[in-house]
Amino acid sequence: MTELIVTEDKIIERVLAMELIRVTERAAVASAKLRGRGDEKAADQAAVDAMRRELNRLPIDGEVVIGEGERDEAPMLFIGEKLGTKKGPKVDIAVDPLEGTTLCAKDMPGSIAVMAMAQAGTLLYAPDVYMDKIAIGPGYSKGIIDLDATPEDNIMAIAKAKMVKPAEVTALVMDRPRHADLIAKLRKIGCSIRLITDGDVVGVIQCAEYHKTGVDIYLGIGGAPEGVLAAGALRCVGGQMQGRLILDTPEKVARAAKMGVKIPNKKYDLSELASGDTVVAATGVTDGALLQGVKFRGDIIETETIIYRSLTGTVRRIHGEHRELSKFHI
Ligand code: VTB
């Protein structure tokens, strides 16, 4: 096997890529300390503080392109905030310090701390609007799914490719009133539907781990920033995804235009959502289909992190046992 030569121009160096594990570990532990307390805001703030502190230690010239909101909405990790020591590559930073704040506050499955780091200018700078998404994992022929096809046709295409009946295909959909029509059509064709209440970054990524999750396809409308984060991970494992921003008011069109979106109803392909060398890291906060949640075991804290690297297609799962509680500011 040819040794990968990590040349200077490879923006996300191997060592730097592994640093992201520490960033999401500490954000996950910080919010896990507030798990089940019924306070979304406090849990989210704890994750934001921890993630920002760790990111500012990295040798990067980073800029938040997907974060906690616009500059005037979020005091920290706002879009445009500069992060890192500045002694390193110019990178885009996309963060969701606590994806699934309600899941954490209610100690329900599936909340994670997640972030992506990519070559500057290669992530879609998604405004905080909805995105209509469709996604599948690796192993299918290119173009087998289409956001503009009917749900029935997309399910039939997957069933045909897998040589199974539609009943043996599992679609993951967010349980929302806006999906009533979609769910009715999926029910009619007879596929299995896994409904989630929140957390569709994990929802999309579950398609990439069919052998673990049993999910074939993600369908429906969720957050656009979450769509870009999930796309970064799928890009690393060879999945397929399309997304279209839901810009249904002049204000949203203007807001998106300010972030560089020139065609409001454009259907983005995976390679346009995350087009460059991307690393995505996620640590479980509550136990879920993709990751174990944080475990507080006496003077040891256990974490599980998954890290994806698009340059090599490598996926790593890191089980962490942390003993110096002080580093988590406990
Ligand atoms: C979506 C989804 C996220 O919040 O943004 C959702 O992508 C909000 O959707 O994963 P609603 O406005 O319908 O509640 C999450 O589920 C959690 O941040």
Side-chain angles (χ1 to χ4, degrees), residues 90-275:
K90 276 184 88 59
V91 290
D92 283 357
I93 299 287
V95 294
D96 199 342
L98 181 56
E99 154 66 350
T101 52
T102 304
L103 300 176
C104 178
K106 294 180 176 175
D107 199 0
M108 290 170 68
S111 62
I112 60 172
V114 59
M115 73 159 289
M117 181 157 69
Q119 287 171 284
T122 62
L123 292 177
L124 173 70
Y125 296 178
D128 193 10
V129 296
Y130 285 136
M131 176 187 277
D132 192 5
K133 312 171 202 176
I134 184 168
I136 53 175
Y140 293 99
S141 53
K142 188 90 184 91
I144 188 172
I145 53 168
D146 190 331
L147 198 56
D148 294 326
T150 64
E152 298 90 334
D153 286 351
N154 280 310
I155 296 297
M156 287 309 289
I158 298 298
K160 188 160 167 267
K162 291 184 72 174
M163 293 190 278
V164 298
K165 293 190 179 63
E168 292 164 71
V169 174
T170 298
L172 189 141
V173 179
M174 286 189 77
D175 191 7
R176 291 290 190 280
R178 62 178 176 266
H179 291 149
D181 183 48
L182 166 61
I183 291 169
K185 287 177 177 161
L186 294 174
R187 291 268 182 255
K188 198 152 157 266
I189 198 162
C191 72
S192 169
I193 308 176
R194 181 170 305 172
L195 292 173
I196 58 171
T197 58
D198 270 306
D200 80 339
V201 172
V202 169
V204 168
I205 296 177
Q206 284 199 53
C207 303
E209 307 231 357
Y210 174 78
H211 55 290
K212 269 175 79 79
T213 66
V215 171
D216 294 292
I217 183 168
Y218 172 96
L219 288 162
I221 294 171
E226 289 84 350
V228 174
L229 280 162
L234 272 196
R235 191 177 179 285
C236 302
V237 294
Q240 296 181 55
M241 183 174 178
Q242 293 176 342
R244 178 177 281 120
L245 298 175
I246 310 281
L247 304 175
D248 48 6
T249 65
E251 181 270 332
K252 287 178 189 171
V253 172
R255 194 144 49 92
K258 219 173 69 178
M259 296 180 75
V261 174
K262 295 188 175 56
I263 308 165
N265 66 341
K266 179 178 170 59
K267 180 168 68 177
Y268 293 95
D269 188 59
L270 178 58
S271 59
E272 295 170 300
L273 295 167
S275 61

